[in-house]
Amino acid sequence: QWPQQFLCEMVDRRLAFYSRQAVTSFSQLCSSEISSQAALVEMIQLSMNSPRELIRIIDITIREHDELGGGGLLIPSSVESALDKYVVERLPSLYPKPVLQQVSRIKSIQFANSDLQVIFRTGAQTIRNRIKKWQDCGIVGQTGTRPAQGDQQGRDAFIYSVIDTRVRRLISRSLALGPEYEVDEEADDAETPK
C-alpha cells in the first residue's frame, strides 16, 4: 500500500503536469461546498491506496461532474455520484460474478454467520463456506467475536467485516451492479444443501 501523503502529492503533481501548472492542487477543483481534503482521502480509501485506481477515480469524478452538467468546480453530489459509478463499474472486473451476487445481498458491513443464515436461508456450514470464499477474495476479514447466542452451546461467534472499501460502499449505499447480478434466491439457495 502506498502512503496517503504520497498519493495526495502524486495527485497534485499529475494535475499540475497535465494542466501545465494551471491547477497545482486537488483543492482547486473543488467548490467551497466540499472539503477537498476529505474528498481526496475518501477517494484514496476507495482506491485501496492504489495510485492507478486513484487516478481512475479522479478521472471518473471529473467526467461524471461534466456529464451531470455541474460546470465549474466539483460539488458534493457529483463526487458522490462518481464514487458510486466507480464502484459499480469496477467491482465486476475484480471479483467473480457469483461472489458479487452473494455479497450484494448482505445488508450490513459487519456480520456473524447466524446473521447471514437468515439472509441466505441456509445452514451454518454453507455460510462458513461462503465467508471463506469471500475471505480468500479479500472482501471480508474476521474482526472479532461476540458471546454465544441460542443453540451455539457456549461458543463465541466470529464477527466478520467487509474490508474492501469498494464493497463497503456497495453495501452501505445499497448500490446495484445491474440486473445480471441480481440473483434468483431459490437457485442460489439450492447451490448447496442446507
Side-chain angles (χ1 to χ4, degrees), residues 5-185:
Q5 183 62 36
F6 169 82
L7 294 170
C8 290
E9 292 169 3
M10 179 203 71
V11 167
D12 290 344
R13 284 192 308 272
R14 287 185 66 95
L15 288 171
F17 178 81
Y18 286 106
S19 70
R20 294 190 174 99
Q21 303 300 316
V23 177
T24 58
S25 171
F26 180 75
S27 63
Q28 290 176 269
L29 298 178
C30 299
S31 74
S32 61
E33 299 174 52
I34 191 169
S35 165
S36 60
Q37 183 64 26
L40 188 55
V41 166
E42 185 174 6
M43 291 175 185
I44 289 169
Q45 291 170 345
L46 203 57
S47 75
M48 305 285 289
N49 288 52
S50 162
R52 180 173 287 131
E53 291 300 308
L54 180 57
I55 297 303
R56 183 185 307 235
I57 290 169
I58 290 172
D59 180 59
I60 289 172
T61 301
I62 293 168
R63 291 176 191 272
E64 185 72 5
H65 180 72
D66 287 342
E67 286 176 19
L68 293 173
L73 301 174
L74 297 175
I75 58 174
S77 61
S78 60
V79 171
E80 291 300 316
S81 177
L83 297 181
D84 291 347
K85 183 175 185 175
Y86 165 75
V87 166
V88 169
E89 289 178 354
R90 190 69 178 121
L91 282 177
S93 65
L94 298 173
Y95 299 114
K97 184 177 178 181
V99 168
L100 289 175
Q101 287 174 318
Q102 292 169 359
V103 297
S104 64
R105 291 172 62 187
I106 301 171
K107 303 299 181 215
S108 175
I109 58 173
Q110 192 174 63
F111 54 86
N113 182 310
S114 59
D115 301 327
L116 299 184
Q117 290 177 44
V118 173
I119 293 170
F120 290 100
R121 297 181 303 177
T122 191
Q125 185 58 47
T126 299
I127 297 301
R128 273 193 291 279
N129 292 340
R130 289 182 184 182
I131 291 171
K132 174 72 172 112
K133 187 182 299 182
W134 303 342
Q135 286 179 302
D136 292 345
C137 289
I139 293 173
V140 303
Q142 182 185 336
T143 55
T145 60
R146 73 176 178 207
Q149 297 175 340
D151 63 348
Q152 291 184 339
Q153 301 171 354
R155 292 177 296 191
D156 288 348
F158 292 126
I159 300 297
Y160 300 91
S161 296
V162 176
I163 57 176
D164 184 307
T165 54
R166 297 160 292 208
V167 177
R168 285 176 77 99
R169 187 174 184 94
L170 177 79
I171 293 168
S172 64
R173 293 184 53 89
S174 302
L175 302 176
L177 293 172
E180 66 274 21
Y181 285 88
E182 292 176 13
V183 68
D184 175 2
E185 291 183 24

